């Protein structure tokens, strides 16, 4: 799971049941999961069947700066003789690319559905990648589901069925090129610490006050835990935990970043006693030079393990 997907899952869980944005956020999470499944199949196929003299480096879910925002590259390949950005679509139906207006729709069970144009998404990804690396980049749309069929192809970029993709990529090799793959790989890895995609709260016009605060019970998933007798106790299902606050802090980190003010920590964890708060924060945060501020120690695996069980 990438950072952006985790953001969506945490945001969905933290929005009140009847909040106007909740269904939209959930729809984005479902699309992200479907996309991630397609990207995973694509990367695994390339790792297994791509026949090149030198092995390509393959990255999934890369966010790069573009204009005043970000562009997402579903799958990025770095090779000494080419660079390629893939836009992976894990969809069913018949697909129609409007070559004149650059619009896109599909037909499923006789219904016509307008959608974001994969060609436009790929074009952003290619332009962002070219600007980021300073080199020419190939672009390809990949249909990862066998239940999808292209009726009208796009204008600017090829669209390839997943099974044929390795052969398509092998044709990109240009012996006249010689890229420093290790150097490019270093740029990608550094970018992952800098660019994590759009701020979902800003995107959905939400504020912190929109979200439910408190410590979540990981048994029933409700934000119903209270700190009593040195334990977190769920008032709904009765579960007891000594470290449920650590998960809540990781939720905070994924949404807002690692910087946590003492003032907001009281509210986020639902704690009133300062001595209890300092004790709870002791092992999972570090002190800052800024008065009244701590930094949460990142442990993203807590979120990944939790949401894998829910969305598997």
């Amino acid at each position: 799971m990438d950072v952006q997907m985790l953001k969506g899952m945490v945001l969905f869980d933290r929005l009140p049941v009847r909040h106007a944005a909740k269904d939209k956020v959930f729809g984005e999470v479902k699309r992200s999961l479907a996309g991630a499944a397609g990207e995973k199949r694509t990367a695994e196929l390339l790792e297994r069947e791509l026949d090149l003299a030198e092995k390509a480096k393959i990255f999934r879910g890369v966010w790069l700066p573009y204009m005043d925002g970000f562009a997402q590259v579903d799958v990025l390949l770095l090779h000494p003789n080419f660079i390629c950005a893939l836009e992976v679509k894990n969809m069913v139906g018949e697909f129609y690319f409007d070559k004149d207006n650059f619009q896109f729709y599909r037909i499923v069970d006789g219904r016509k559905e307008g959608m974001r144009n994969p060609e436009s998404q790929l074009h952003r990804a290619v332009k962002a990648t070219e600007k980021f690396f300073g080199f020419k980049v190939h672009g390809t749309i990949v249909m990862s589901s066998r239940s999808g069929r292209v009726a009208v192809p796009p204008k600017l970029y090829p669209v390839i069925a997943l099974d044929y993709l390795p052969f398509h990529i092998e044709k990109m090799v240009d012996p006249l090129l010689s890229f420093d793959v290790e150097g490019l790989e270093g740029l990608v890895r550094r970018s992952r610490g800098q660019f994590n995609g759009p701020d979902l709260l800003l995107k959905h016009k939400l504020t912190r006050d929109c979200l439910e605060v408190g410590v979540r019970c990981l048994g029933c998933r409700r934000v119903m835990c209270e700190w009593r007798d040195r334990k977190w106790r769920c008032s709904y299902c009765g579960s007891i935990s000594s470290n449920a606050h650590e998960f809540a802090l990781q939720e905070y980190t994924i949404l807002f970043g690692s910087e946590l003010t003492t003032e907001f920590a009281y509210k986020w964890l639902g704690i009133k006693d300062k001595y209890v708060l300092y004790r709870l924060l002791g092992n999972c945060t570090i002190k800052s030079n800024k008065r009244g501020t701590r930094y949460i120690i990142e442990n993203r695996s807590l979120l990944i393990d939790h949401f894998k069980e829910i969305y598997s």
Side-chain angles (χ1 to χ4, degrees), residues 87-108 111-121 141-143 148-155 159:
E87 179 70 25
V88 181
K89 290 301 172 189
N90 185 20
M91 302 187 299
V92 301
E94 287 190 345
F95 310 122
Y96 295 79
F97 292 83
D98 185 330
K99 297 182 179 182
D100 297 321
N101 300 315
F102 290 95
Q103 294 178 325
F104 173 79
Y105 66 90
R106 67 172 176 172
I107 295 178
V108 183
R111 301 188 317 274
K112 184 176 179 179
E113 299 178 354
M115 306 178 71
R116 287 187 67 188
N117 189 345
E119 187 172 25
S120 299
Q121 293 174 283
I141 300 167
V142 181
M143 294 300 176
R149 185 180 76 85
V150 178
V152 177
K155 182 177 183 178
V159 56

Side-chain angles (χ1 to χ4, degrees), residues 8-220:
M9 292 173 175
V10 172
L11 181 58
F12 172 74
D13 273 2
R14 284 283 175 173
L15 282 171
V17 173
R18 293 179 178 82
H19 195 282
K22 197 168 181 76
D23 287 344
K24 187 175 181 181
V25 172
F26 184 61
E28 289 183 354
V29 169
K30 288 200 299 183
R31 287 191 293 274
S32 294
L33 287 166
E39 292 164 20
K40 183 173 183 289
R41 284 200 299 274
T42 300
E44 288 176 345
L45 177 71
L46 294 176
E47 290 281 4
R48 186 173 64 249
E49 297 190 15
L50 196 56
D51 186 13
L52 298 169
E54 294 189 66
K55 190 177 178 66
K57 297 284 185 179
I58 301 173
F59 300 89
R60 291 169 47 199
V62 177
W63 289 89
L64 299 176
Y66 183 71
M67 307 297 283
D68 293 329
F70 303 90
Q72 182 180 18
V73 184
D74 289 343
V75 178
L76 174 66
L77 287 88
L78 302 178
H79 185 271
N81 305 121
F82 68 87
I83 301 171
C84 180
L86 303 179
E87 179 70 25
V88 181
K89 290 301 172 189
N90 185 20
M91 302 187 299
V92 301
E94 287 190 345
F95 310 122
Y96 295 79
F97 292 83
D98 185 330
K99 297 182 179 182
D100 297 321
N101 300 315
F102 290 95
Q103 294 178 325
F104 173 79
Y105 66 90
R106 67 172 176 172
I107 295 178
V108 183
D109 298 328
R111 301 188 317 274
K112 184 176 179 179
E113 299 178 354
M115 306 178 71
R116 287 187 67 188
N117 189 345
E119 187 172 25
S120 299
Q121 293 174 283
L122 176 61
H123 193 61
R124 283 175 56 86
V126 168
K127 291 302 178 185
T129 308
E130 287 181 338
K131 186 174 182 180
F132 188 73
F133 290 133
F135 299 112
K136 179 68 177 176
V137 173
H138 294 275
T140 299
I141 300 167
V142 181
M143 294 300 176
S144 64
S145 171
R146 292 189 177 93
S147 299
R149 185 180 76 85
V150 178
V152 177
K155 182 177 183 178
L156 300 179
Y157 295 95
V159 56
I160 301 294
L162 179 59
D163 292 340
Y164 184 74
L165 182 63
F167 309 107
H168 172 75
I169 290 177
E170 287 162 12
K171 296 176 183 177
M172 295 179 185
V173 172
D174 183 348
L176 298 178
L177 297 176
S178 182
F179 295 123
D180 175 10
V181 173
E182 287 189 6
L184 298 179
E185 181 182 4
L187 290 175
V188 173
R189 296 194 184 281
R190 285 195 292 276
S191 79
R192 289 187 151 170
Q194 297 173 309
F195 311 112
N196 292 321
D199 184 329
L200 291 187
L201 272 76
L202 186 63
K203 176 182 177 181
H204 293 285
K205 299 179 181 179
L206 302 171
T207 66
R208 292 187 182 188
D209 293 336
C210 296
L211 307 183
E212 293 181 338
V213 295
V215 172
R216 180 184 311 284
C217 171
L218 298 183
C220 66

Side-chain angles (χ1 to χ4, degrees), residues 249-296:
L249 291 174
Q250 294 306 312
E251 289 180 292
Y252 177 95
T253 302
I254 206 74
L255 289 177
F256 308 118
S258 61
E259 185 174 297
L260 175 68
T261 64
T262 303
E263 180 183 4
F264 196 76
Y266 283 112
K267 184 176 182 180
W268 188 254
L269 298 180
I271 294 293
K272 296 180 180 179
D273 188 309
K274 70 176 182 179
Y275 297 106
V276 171
L277 180 68
Y278 292 157
R279 186 164 62 248
L280 292 175
L281 296 179
N283 293 329
C284 44
T285 65
I286 55 177
K287 291 182 178 180
S288 164
N289 293 329
K290 295 168 62 176
R291 182 176 175 82
T293 302
R294 287 175 175 260
Y295 289 101
I296 300 167

